[in-house]
Every structure is written in C-alpha cells, then in structure tokens.
Amino acid sequence: MPIKRKAEGLRDTEWRAHERGQSEKISQALDFDHRHPLAAGDGTGIRPLSGAPHRESGRKASILSGTVDAAGVERVLAVRTIHPAAAHLDKPLVVAVGRDVRVVFADWRRNAMIYVGVFCGIVLITVFSLRYNQISVQQAEEQARISKEALEKSERRYRILAENTTDVVWQLDLQSMRFTYVSPSVFRLRGYTAEEVMAQPLEASLTPDSLRNVQTWMGRILDEFRRGETVPPVELKEVEQPRKNGTTVWTEVSTTYVLDDKNQPVSVIGISRDITERKHIEEERHANEIKFRTIFENSIDAIGVSRAGVHVFVNTAYAALFGYSTPGELVGKPVLELIAPAERTTILDRIRRRAHGEAVPMVYESKGLRQDGSEFVMDVHASTYELFGEMFTLVIMRDITERKRAEEELRQSSELLRTFMNAIDESAFLMDREGRILAANETVAKRFGKTVQKFIGLTADQILPPEVAQIREKHVAEVIRTKKPVRFEDERMGRVIDNSIYPVFNAQGEVGAVAIVGYDVTDRKLAEEAIQQNEKKLRDITASLGEGLYVLNDRGEVTFMNPEAERLLGWTEDELRHKNIHNAIHSRKPDGSPLSFDECKMHNVIQLGTRFFSHNQMFMRKDGTLFPASVISTPLKENGRVTASITVFRDISDIKQVEGEREKLIADLQKALAEIKTLHGILPICSSCKKIRDDKGSWHQLEAYIHDHTDAKFSHGLCADCAKKLYPEYYKEEDSKDKGRSST
C-alpha cells in the first residue's frame, strides 16, 4: 500500500520518454535507474521502449509500454529500482509510474501542434523579414545608384570646370603634405603636368620665402583649429611659385579646409590664380611713385600743393624759390603770404573760384614775394584735383625774371624775322607714280608762274631743272619703295626749299601717289643762324657766371666743372677727375686748421643724403692759397638712391673784407662814442668869476658846464686861502696858539 500510494502520488509528474523517434516532456524529482527486472519482458504484455534521462539529475529510468490494468488501458510506465542502501531499506524498492498512452500522445500532439505553429510563425516572420530586407536592400541600392550617378555627374561637372578653368584647383593632404589632386591648368601656370606636381613634395611648389610664409600661416591656422577657435572659411594669400623653365610666377591662393568628424582639418582645398600681371602693375605703380617722388623732390621747378589756400606740402625748389631753407617751413602757411601785395586780390579771387569749381586760367604769370621781402616774376601752372572728398590745388612755378628779360631781347631781335615768317606761303601738290601732277595749290602754281589748271598734268621734268628733277624722282622712288616719308632740302633760284614727300595709300594698301609739301625756308635758315649766335651768347653768359659749380658721382669723383670753378680753384676738370677733391680743395677749416674727410659735411652729402649750406667754408687753390667761400651742396637721387651731388660755391673774400671793414668801423664808432664826453680845445673862461662861455655866447658856472659836457661829478670843500678869507677870526686864534706853543 505505501508503494501504491507512492506511485499514485507520482502519477502526474513529468518524464521524458521516447517512442518512434519522438519525445515527450516528463519531469520528476525522483532519481531512477533504467535497470529493472521487467525490462526484458515477462509475458505480461509490457514491452521496453527506451531509457529516458531525468531532466535535472541526468540519470536514466526504464520506459515500458504495455497493458497493465484490468480495464485494458495501455499505459506508459517509468520504472526505477531504488537500492536498499539509498533508501535505508533491507531490500530493493521498485517504483513504477504509469500514464495513459492516449493522454501522453494527446499532450504530445498538442505540444507538436504548438511547436509546428510556432515554427510556421517563425518561418513566415523570417520570410516576410527576408522580403522586407530584400525590398529595403533594393531601395537602398537604387538610392545608392541614383546618388552615385548624381555624384558622378557632379564630379564630372566640377572636374570639367576645374580642368578647363585658367585657375589651378588643388587638394593637399595635411598628413603627408602632398597634393592629392591638381587640375591640368597647372601646366599653363607652371609648365608642370598635374601628375608631376602630385609626385612632388610641397616644398617643390613654392619658393623658399613663400614656403616659410605658408608654413607659418598654416601652423597658425592648425593651432586655431586645435584650440577650437573660429577660423575664417576662406583665406587669401599671395605666394611665389617656381616654373619648370626656371622662372617664377606670383599667384593668389584661396584656401578652405576639409574637416573630419572631430572638426579637425584633414586636407586643404585651394584655387591658385596667376597674378603676375597684377604684381607687375603694382611694381610699376610703386616704381612710378618712386620716380614721381624723385622728380618731385629733385625738380628744378617749384612744385607745391595747397588746400583751401594753405600749403600742404612743397618741394625743395619751391622753398628755395621763396627764400626758405626747408619745405617744412611752408607747410601750413597761407599761399597769399608768398604773393606780392599787388597780386593778392587776383590770386585770392582765383582761389575762391577754383574752390567752387569755376573755370579759371591754368597758366598765368604773377609776382612772388620772397622771405626777405623781394619780389620776382614767376610762371604759374595751376590745376585742381579732388582727393578724399576735398579739393587740392597743384602749382608748378618757375622764376622767369631772367627769361622775361631774355624773351624781351629775343622778341626785339626776332620781330623782323617773325614778320617775314608770317608772310611765307607753303606749296603743296599731289603726284602719281609716273610723276604727273594730279593736284596743286595756288602758292606752288604762282611760284612757277602758272595757274593751277595749267600746272596740273605737268611732270617734274617740265617744271624743274634737270638736276633738281632727278633728285626729286629719286626721293619719290624711295617713298614708293619704303612706304615711308622722306624729307630733304634743295635750292632753286637762290631760295632754299624744305621738301617733305608723304606716301598716299590706295585701297589695296599700296602707294598710289605721293604728296609733296615744300616750305621756303630761306628766311628760316637766316633766322636759325641768328638764333645760333644768340645761343652762343647765352652759353658765354652762362660760362661767365660768378659762381663755381662741380658735380661728384657716388664715388666722390669729379664729373663736371664749369669755367668759373676752374678759375677760382686753379684746377681744370681733367686734373681733378681722378683726384680726391676733398684733399685738393677743402682740407682746411676757416681758422686754417686741418679738416678731415669724415668731418667734412659738404663732401659727405652723398653718404648722408642731406642738403648742406654754409657761408663759412675755406677752399684751397691749386697753388695752396686759401679763400673763404659760400657753399651749397645738394644730393641727386635716382630710384631713391643718392647717385651724385652738385656743389655751387662763391668766393666771398670781398664780402669778408667788407665785413672786416664794417667791424673796424663799428669799433671806431664805439671808441668815438666813448670819447664824446671828453673836453678838448680852448675853453673861454672869465678871469674874474671863472664862468665859461659856450658856443652860443652864453656864460655858465664852471661846475654846471663841466657837469653838462663831461662825466665828471663834483664834491665841494674850501682851500686854505679861501678859508682864511672867509673865517679870519678862526685862523687868528689858531695862529696865536701856534706862537704860544713855539715860545714854550
């Protein structure tokens, strides 16, 4: 009974059994052994099925099938023999658990249906998932294909743009510092192919100076990226790049950076543009600025710029024209202060009208006022320009006092020549290639004593002497052959004719005819001879100026001396050309002591680049004698560099002598002034009252006269004689006392 109850109590436990290759899930907490006496069968209809392991312990039990109950219900039995030692029994204990086979297989079918349903669900889900994934993959592939085609189209478009633009498009990898792409236009820019550039390091694409600049610039940009600072999206730089032919080219580089997911640059995309022409223009502009500044500063004409009637800046010649030492003295000074009083009203009116944009004369003559108060005639060229919204006036002035004098002399001497020249008529005619006259003016016709109608159609042989006609034909043939004009002179009937032959081209560009213009220059020739004589006179006047002048090059060598300099110094230009001019003419100070070259400011003008002016210099002649001189030395500049100096000097011995005489006269006057209070000569004095008579006949007390005419002052007292006369009683007492003392 205990065993039966035990078995019944375990009826619903689960075990794992096997039948026909299938499995049913059964579990039990008991630990069975598969060995059992019934396992081999004993005629009871029970047949062994298999051994099933326990789910938890893994031990096996014997699974049997057979009819074991009275109702004939086929059951599945699980039999386990428990050994006595394990159960603390005196003999083995056999435990059997049975279940209705129909229930077992109903459970199995239910579980099988569940497993099949689950499996079918999994299969359907898997199929749908695979189909969905397939559709998604197809859509992704289609999208990728469309994107790839768009990208390829975009790349083709930009590649076509990059490969056909004159600018060079490139990409530089920042890790390897090599180009990963260069557009073919680099060949036009530098003479290298794109493949050659990409095979070269960055250093080969830049000149050394530009390489250092780029490394500094890129280092700064990369540091800003590392620090997380804001970097401009595009930067422009100018670099110099070498060409394959050995020359260089200046380019303007526009760059931007390609960033990774950490916002750090991985490459640089750039566009390089040839700016050689722009650099040449900038260099030319800079050179022009230097050239114009040099011209401005060294121009012999006075140049000044003013605004609202006030000087803004002037050159050295402008300051010197008005007697000032430096241009800075005139900056900020009103223009009217340099104009003669009689001209100020006119100039002020022009300044006001010019400021309001009215038309005023640009070229005129006026009178200037120097610092010392002297006036001079000047030629003025004035113009206005606008800069930064303000109107400025540019003037170029020249002292024309001497020119006006020379012009007046020339006007008088050439008045007769001008009368004749105004009456000259030019002859002109047109001739074809065969030498026939096609057209002519009245002047040439009258010159040959014919009318215009009769003159047309003639040839040179019919109107000119044979020798003159041959010369004309020769020159006409030269013009037709060279297609260039020819000018020559010939003489006919005592008149000198200046002839010019010009080619006249037809529609085919060939010389179809020639135009001949003849000028009767007989009077002009005479006038030229007179002008040459006048020029010789002017040269003689220039050569006889009373100031010496010499020019030194940048090595301190004499390149020019005028005759007056040769006369004053006793040296000729050729003699001083290869000598040290300082040692030859200027090695002494005004007191006669030695003057070294380093101390000499006059001959250091080239090194110092500054103007030198002095009235107290000492020059030495060839014979060793000295003379005082007034000197002005000015540097001459070219392209901003001092290349020479010009020195003008004058012998001021006479001035020094006059100054000495003036000093002596001043000393004499001072001495006379000191002696003006000393009395000389005979003074009329009264023998009685001792009064003195002046030059006007008036009598004055002696003290008053001497006080008025000398620096003497008086102190009054009494002499012994006068005291006795005035005080006799006093002297009588004194005499008696003296006698008493002598008697004792």
Side-chain angles (χ1 to χ4, degrees):
M1 289 299 291
I3 296 175
K4 183 178 180 182
R5 287 195 298 271
K6 182 71 175 178
E8 291 175 353
L10 297 177
R11 182 174 300 169
D12 295 328
T13 58
E14 293 183 352
W15 295 81
R16 183 178 303 274
H18 298 273
E19 182 179 9
R20 294 184 298 272
Q22 301 298 324
S23 64
E24 181 182 355
K25 191 175 181 182
I26 305 173
S27 64
Q28 169 61 20
L30 296 175
D31 188 9
F32 292 105
D33 189 348
H34 68 280
R35 294 184 301 273
H36 191 271
L38 298 178
D42 54 1
T44 60
I46 298 175
R47 57 186 181 275
L49 292 177
S50 63
H54 188 265
R55 182 183 58 185
E56 295 179 358
S57 64
R59 296 179 181 180
K60 294 183 178 180
S62 297
I63 305 299
L64 304 175
S65 178
T67 302
V68 295
D69 59 0
V73 177
E74 186 178 4
R75 292 180 178 273
V76 176
L77 299 177
V79 182
R80 170 69 170 157
T81 302
I82 300 175
H83 295 282
H88 302 285
L89 300 174
D90 54 356
K91 56 183 178 180
L93 177 63
V94 178
V95 179
V97 178
R99 296 195 70 184
D100 191 335
V101 172
R102 291 172 297 180
V103 175
V104 170
F105 283 99
D107 291 340
W108 177 84
R109 282 192 298 270
R110 185 177 61 255
N111 292 335
M113 292 296 293
I114 293 173
Y115 290 145
V116 170
V118 171
F119 176 76
C120 292
I122 292 173
V123 170
L124 290 175
I125 293 173
T126 302
V127 171
F128 284 121
S129 297
L130 291 175
R131 181 56 181 166
Y132 177 78
N133 290 337
Q134 183 181 10
I135 295 173
S136 299
V137 169
Q138 290 176 350
Q139 291 177 348
E141 290 176 351
E142 180 66 18
Q143 186 65 31
R145 184 185 63 79
I146 295 173
S147 300
K148 183 179 180 181
E149 290 178 355
L151 179 61
E152 290 175 351
K153 183 178 180 180
S154 176
E155 287 180 351
R156 285 195 302 272
R157 182 168 63 251
Y158 286 111
R159 184 175 294 275
I160 291 172
L161 179 63
E163 293 180 354
N164 290 276
T165 182
T166 57
D167 296 342
V168 179
V169 181
W170 50 267
Q171 185 169 10
L172 177 70
D173 180 65
L174 291 177
Q175 184 174 3
S176 63
M177 296 305 287
R178 286 183 177 270
F179 293 100
T180 57
Y181 173 78
V182 179
S183 62
S185 55
V186 71
F187 183 78
R188 292 192 296 270
L189 180 68
R190 298 180 53 209
Y192 292 97
T193 64
E195 292 74 14
E196 290 175 329
V197 175
M198 287 188 288
Q200 296 173 345
L202 176 64
E203 293 79 359
S205 297
L206 298 168
T207 61
D209 290 341
S210 292
L211 177 62
R212 286 191 292 271
N213 294 337
V214 168
Q215 289 173 339
T216 302
W217 157 53
M218 291 184 64
R220 176 179 58 81
I221 294 296
L222 294 178
D223 288 342
E224 291 177 356
F225 269 113
R226 295 188 190 99
R227 293 193 298 267
E229 298 178 1
T230 302
V231 178
V234 178
E235 288 201 349
L236 292 176
K237 296 292 180 181
E238 292 183 1
V239 297
E240 188 178 12
Q241 296 186 266
R243 284 193 173 111
K244 196 171 186 177
N245 61 6
T247 61
T248 60
V249 58
W250 278 97
T251 59
E252 181 183 68
V253 180
S254 173
T255 59
T256 187
Y257 289 84
V258 178
L259 307 180
D260 59 12
D261 54 357
K262 297 181 180 179
N263 205 34
Q264 293 300 309
V266 294
S267 64
V268 183
I269 296 177
I271 300 176
S272 299
R273 176 172 296 175
D274 186 353
I275 59 170
T276 304
E277 186 66 25
R278 190 181 79 187
K279 294 291 286 188
H280 288 168
I281 293 173
E282 292 176 354
E283 292 173 358
E284 183 178 355
R285 181 182 63 188
H286 182 65
N288 288 337
E289 289 178 357
I290 296 176
K291 179 175 65 177
F292 290 135
R293 183 179 297 276
T294 302
I295 294 173
F296 176 81
E297 294 177 350
N298 296 279
S299 173
I300 60 174
D301 290 333
I303 304 176
V305 176
S306 62
R307 179 181 60 217
V310 178
H311 289 98
V312 177
F313 57 87
V314 300
N315 67 350
T316 304
Y318 191 101
L321 179 65
F322 291 95
Y324 291 86
S325 301
T326 61
E329 297 179 69
L330 290 175
V331 175
K333 197 176 188 68
V335 174
L336 288 179
E337 293 187 11
L338 305 183
I339 304 300
E343 301 287 331
R344 289 179 180 175
T345 302
T346 302
I347 298 300
L348 180 60
D349 178 65
R350 288 177 178 172
I351 292 175
R352 291 173 178 172
R353 291 169 58 193
R354 189 177 289 112
H356 288 84
E358 298 181 18
V360 294
M362 298 179 63
V363 181
Y364 56 90
E365 294 180 3
S366 185
K367 286 187 178 181
L369 182 65
R370 292 191 176 93
Q371 190 179 22
D372 59 6
S374 61
E375 297 182 1
F376 64 97
V377 182
M378 58 184 181
D379 182 36
V380 181
H381 293 247
S383 61
T384 58
Y385 63 93
E386 183 176 355
L387 183 64
F388 305 125
E390 296 184 289
M391 297 300 299
F392 291 81
T393 301
L394 171 68
V395 294
I396 301 176
M397 300 178 178
R398 181 176 293 181
D399 186 350
I400 59 172
T401 305
E402 295 297 328
R403 193 190 77 184
K404 295 291 288 185
R405 188 180 297 112
E407 286 177 352
E408 179 61 22
E409 295 175 356
L410 182 62
R411 187 190 65 79
Q412 294 176 359
S413 64
S414 44
E415 185 67 30
L416 182 60
L417 176 62
R418 185 176 295 106
T419 301
F420 284 105
M421 291 297 292
N422 290 335
I424 293 176
D425 293 327
E426 295 82 12
S427 60
F429 58 95
L430 189 66
M431 181 181 291
D432 63 13
R433 295 173 65 96
E434 285 74 28
R436 287 188 300 271
I437 297 174
L438 302 177
N441 63 356
E442 293 182 356
T443 301
V444 68
K446 291 178 180 179
R447 185 168 293 170
F448 287 95
K450 299 179 182 298
T451 63
V452 174
Q453 290 75 13
K454 292 183 178 181
F455 193 72
I456 295 175
L458 300 177
T459 62
D461 296 336
Q462 295 174 307
I463 60 175
L464 296 173
E467 63 277 7
V468 177
Q470 291 178 359
I471 295 174
R472 288 287 182 91
E473 292 173 356
K474 177 183 176 182
H475 288 304
V476 169
E478 181 182 355
V479 171
I480 294 174
R481 178 177 56 83
T482 62
K483 299 182 179 180
K484 295 181 179 179
V486 172
R487 182 177 179 180
F488 63 95
E489 293 181 356
D490 56 19
E491 186 174 351
R492 300 189 305 270
M493 296 177 293
R495 306 295 295 179
V496 179
I497 307 300
D498 183 2
N499 300 286
S500 296
I501 304 178
Y502 302 94
V504 178
F505 298 96
N506 56 23
Q508 291 74 32
E510 300 295 332
V511 179
V514 293
I516 302 175
V517 180
Y519 301 90
D520 187 345
V521 294
T522 305
D523 295 335
R524 192 188 74 187
K525 288 289 185 182
L526 297 175
E528 288 176 353
E529 293 178 1
I531 291 174
Q532 290 176 357
Q533 293 177 356
N534 291 335
E535 288 179 353
K536 184 177 182 303
K537 291 179 181 179
L538 291 175
R539 292 193 187 96
D540 294 339
I541 292 173
T542 304
S544 61
L545 290 176
E547 294 181 341
L549 182 146
Y550 64 85
V551 179
L552 301 180
N553 60 19
D554 55 358
R555 296 185 298 275
E557 299 171 347
V558 176
T559 59
F560 173 78
M561 286 181 65
N562 71 341
E564 180 62 14
E566 293 180 341
R567 186 189 69 80
L568 291 174
L569 299 174
W571 296 90
T572 65
E573 180 181 330
D574 293 335
E575 288 174 335
L576 285 178
R577 191 176 298 277
H578 301 293
K579 290 184 178 293
N580 186 317
I581 192 170
H582 172 78
N583 296 335
I585 70 171
H586 193 234
S587 60
R588 296 289 176 181
K589 295 180 180 179
D591 59 2
S593 60
L595 176 65
S596 66
F597 182 83
D598 294 335
E599 296 178 286
C600 180
K601 296 182 179 180
M602 184 179 71
H603 291 293
N604 283 339
V605 167
I606 295 178
Q607 286 76 21
L608 300 176
T610 56
R611 185 170 177 265
F612 175 74
F613 173 78
S614 175
H615 280 301
N616 190 26
Q617 297 295 310
M618 188 65 69
F619 275 27
M620 184 169 61
R621 300 183 180 91
K622 184 178 180 180
D623 58 7
T625 58
L626 304 175
F627 67 91
S630 173
V631 178
I632 299 177
S633 292
T634 304
L636 302 178
K637 297 181 179 180
E638 182 178 349
N639 296 326
R641 185 177 66 88
V642 179
T643 58
S645 69
I646 180 170
T647 301
V648 180
F649 64 95
R650 176 185 296 177
D651 184 353
I652 58 173
S653 300
D654 295 340
I655 297 176
K656 289 293 185 180
Q657 182 178 354
V658 171
E659 290 178 352
E661 293 176 354
R662 184 186 65 185
E663 295 297 331
K664 183 177 180 303
L665 177 60
I666 292 173
D668 292 343
L669 291 175
Q670 289 176 344
K671 182 178 179 182
L673 182 63
E675 294 178 350
I676 219 168
K677 293 292 184 176
T678 304
L679 294 177
H680 294 280
I682 300 173
L683 295 177
I685 188 170
C686 177
S687 58
S688 174
C689 67
K690 306 304 180 183
K691 290 183 178 180
I692 296 176
R693 188 183 63 195
D694 60 15
D695 295 337
K696 297 180 181 180
S698 300
W699 292 90
H700 302 275
Q701 291 291 335
L702 178 63
E703 296 91 339
Y705 187 88
I706 293 175
H707 180 271
D708 294 336
H709 291 80
T710 69
D711 291 329
K713 295 181 180 180
F714 291 92
S715 63
H716 293 81
L718 291 175
C719 65
D721 295 336
C722 292
K724 289 180 180 180
K725 290 180 181 180
L726 295 173
Y727 304 99
E729 297 81 9
Y730 175 80
Y731 280 93
K732 287 180 180 180
E733 291 179 4
E734 290 295 319
D735 289 339
S736 62
K737 290 180 180 180
D738 291 337
K739 290 178 180 180
R741 283 193 293 271
S742 61
S743 62
T744 58

